[in-house]
Amino acid sequence: MLPTVEEAKRELEAAAECNPGPWVRHSLNVGIAARNIAGKVPELDENKAYILGMLHDIGRRVGIVNIPKHVYEGYAYAVERGWDEVARICMTHSYPLMKDEFDYEPDTEEERVIKDYILNCQADDYDKLIQICDALATDYGFVILEKRFVDVTRRYGIMKSYIEGWDVTFRNKEYFEEKMGCSIYDVLPDIGKTTLLCPPPWKPGQDRRPE
């Protein structure tokens, strides 16, 4: 079950009241990227992709949280509303390596729930789509993957799993481009312009949207 596009937009607006920040515009842009790419792939539904993209980070409504926390909170929130497909995307979007992300025993109950879910989940095209759109969309627009990877690394540091995740993302880029018959970048508005912008890494309390 999915909310409608209008319901998804209202959910995001309400979440922005709870926890304002660049994540809201990022979520809207992930939705746009997912919709535009899905529009070029016959097997995918544009509206479904748009909704999943907009709500992938809905767990951030609870405040400034880390990856496991917002993944779990988004999943729980979507399950409560009966949005099983949104709940799945909330779980999978931060883990491009899927089961290979979890070569350790989690410390928290939330992470144990996430690990159990991911270990029993095979990534489908919507999972892959939102994962790659998460990497293409910033709060100020769309950028090539390399730019986004640098932006995230400047904020959180570098780990070996990041590089492995990048490799998966580039493979998914090629996968969708073969289905689309064009570059992913061809369907992202103003990507040439926004890729050249260099706002500083976001910090809580800041609005880094370029004028």
Side-chain angles (χ1 to χ4, degrees):
M1 180 177 171
L2 280 173
T4 66
V5 169
E6 291 307 315
E7 286 172 337
K9 289 179 178 178
R10 287 197 294 270
E11 282 290 335
L12 205 51
E13 289 170 1
E17 293 292 324
C18 298
N19 178 31
W23 76 272
V24 180
R25 291 192 298 270
H26 159 72
S27 295
L28 287 169
N29 285 335
V30 170
I32 292 168
R35 180 192 65 195
N36 290 4
I37 292 169
K40 290 282 190 177
V41 180
E43 309 95 287
L44 297 180
D45 180 272
E46 292 177 61
N47 277 343
K48 178 177 176 178
Y50 191 25
I51 293 161
L52 295 178
M54 281 194 286
L55 296 182
H56 78 285
D57 263 353
I58 197 65
R60 294 190 183 277
R61 64 191 298 280
V62 303
I64 306 300
V65 290
N66 59 20
I67 287 176
K69 181 68 174 175
H70 91 269
V71 165
Y72 179 83
E73 291 292 341
Y75 171 77
Y77 187 75
V79 166
E80 182 181 326
R81 278 149 184 75
W83 302 336
D84 54 325
E85 292 171 289
V86 174
R88 176 187 172 107
I89 288 298
C90 287
M91 278 290 201
T92 62
H93 78 272
S94 287
Y95 300 104
L97 297 178
M98 296 300 285
K99 67 180 186 301
D100 292 334
E101 298 269 4
F102 295 95
D103 57 354
Y104 64 94
E105 188 56 40
D107 295 325
T108 67
E109 179 59 26
E110 290 173 349
E111 283 189 277
R112 284 191 282 273
V113 171
I114 295 168
K115 178 179 179 178
D116 182 66
Y117 188 97
I118 296 295
L119 290 183
N120 290 284
C121 181
Q122 183 70 36
D124 65 17
D125 280 2
Y126 287 101
D127 298 313
K128 295 174 184 177
L129 177 65
I130 304 306
Q131 287 167 359
I132 194 170
C133 290
D134 200 14
L136 291 165
T138 71
D139 53 300
Y140 57 88
F142 306 101
V143 296
I144 63 172
L145 292 175
E146 292 87 344
K147 177 69 175 286
R148 176 76 165 144
F149 292 155
V150 169
D151 177 60
V152 172
T153 300
R154 288 177 72 193
R155 281 186 280 150
Y156 299 117
I158 188 68
M159 294 184 291
K160 181 176 182 290
S161 62
Y162 280 11
I163 306 298
E164 294 169 347
W166 297 350
D167 289 340
V168 171
T169 304
F170 280 117
R171 288 199 297 272
N172 286 340
K173 176 178 180 290
E174 295 170 0
Y175 172 77
F176 282 113
E177 287 177 335
E178 184 175 349
K179 289 178 173 289
M180 295 167 69
C182 66
S183 171
I184 275 178
Y185 300 141
D186 290 343
V187 300
L188 301 179
D190 296 322
I191 189 170
K193 176 182 176 181
T194 49
T195 289
L196 295 177
L197 297 175
C198 295
W202 178 78
K203 295 180 181 179
Q206 292 181 341
D207 186 340
R208 69 174 191 162
R209 178 168 46 180
E211 296 299 330

